Amino acid sequence: SHPNVLLIDMITPTIDTLPEDTHYSVFGTLRTIESHVYQKGIQERFPNSSVGEYATIELATLIEKKQDTHEYLKSFKKQIGGDPHTCVLACTHYGLIEDVFKEIYPHATFITQHAIMLDLLKFILHRESKELGEVSILTTQENPIFTEYAWKWFQGSLPVVVSVEKG
């Protein structure tokens, strides 16, 4: 019951953005994949589709540490196969290495959360601009990648980014 707090659901807008396809691959954190939230949402929207889920457990850490992600992503290639389909990069980190995904899976169409989040934030901020005061962004964990995105999104005028306890 915080009237001045806006929580943004990234899952629904991501699923709403998907093109119709017969098969989807979802790359996400372990928690995201274990929730099956994308699988359920995609199959609700496209009942005749199949959804492969891939917990890329080490990927966000590799990205944050600016380490090689190519070999790690390549290790999923046998499971995913080579047929054309739509891949959902279900973590904002993954957009930073979209080019690596595209190199390894050239047959796929990619949907990235960071692009969707940017459009959604621009829409919300435009809609709320008449009543908008200070903008704070609460995250579950301090994240230099997110802070870098926020600088780009807000054109150098960074809102307060605050880490809050999960729970």
Side-chain angles (χ1 to χ4, degrees), residues 8-10 13 114-126:
I8 299 175
D9 162 25
M10 282 308 305
H114 74 283
I116 295 163
M117 180 183 268
L118 176 55
D119 289 343
L120 188 59
L121 282 174
K122 284 180 180 176
F123 172 76
I124 290 168
L125 291 173
H126 175 73

Side-chain angles (χ1 to χ4, degrees), residues 10-122:
M10 282 308 305
I11 297 158
T12 303
T14 301
I15 292 169
D16 288 348
T17 304
L18 294 175
E20 187 169 359
D21 207 336
T22 55
H23 182 67
Y24 299 86
S25 290
V26 178
F27 293 89
T29 62
L30 182 60
R31 182 177 283 188
T32 297
I33 297 304
E34 284 180 341
S35 75
H36 304 292
V37 67
Y38 281 93
Q39 181 185 48
K40 291 172 190 168
I42 291 169
Q43 290 187 317
E44 186 176 299
R45 183 164 179 225
F46 304 112
N48 296 322
S49 67
S50 63
V51 181
E53 298 178 292
Y54 304 95
T56 45
I57 298 167
E58 299 172 35
L59 192 54
T61 302
L62 291 172
I63 293 168
E64 286 182 1
K65 292 182 176 181
K66 298 187 186 310
Q67 294 179 344
D68 179 54
T69 55
H70 191 274
E71 288 304 311
Y72 181 73
L73 284 178
K74 213 168 143 182
S75 69
F76 293 88
K77 195 167 185 171
K78 191 172 186 179
Q79 290 173 273
I80 293 165
D83 295 332
H85 67 290
T86 301
C87 290
V88 180
L89 305 186
C91 173
T92 53
H93 280 58
Y94 298 177
L96 291 171
I97 59 161
E98 184 179 3
D99 58 332
V100 178
F101 276 99
K102 286 180 175 178
E103 180 185 331
I104 296 169
Y105 308 104
H107 55 279
T109 300
F110 288 91
I111 302 299
T112 59
Q113 274 194 337
H114 74 283
I116 295 163
M117 180 183 268
L118 176 55
D119 289 343
L120 188 59
L121 282 174
K122 284 180 180 176

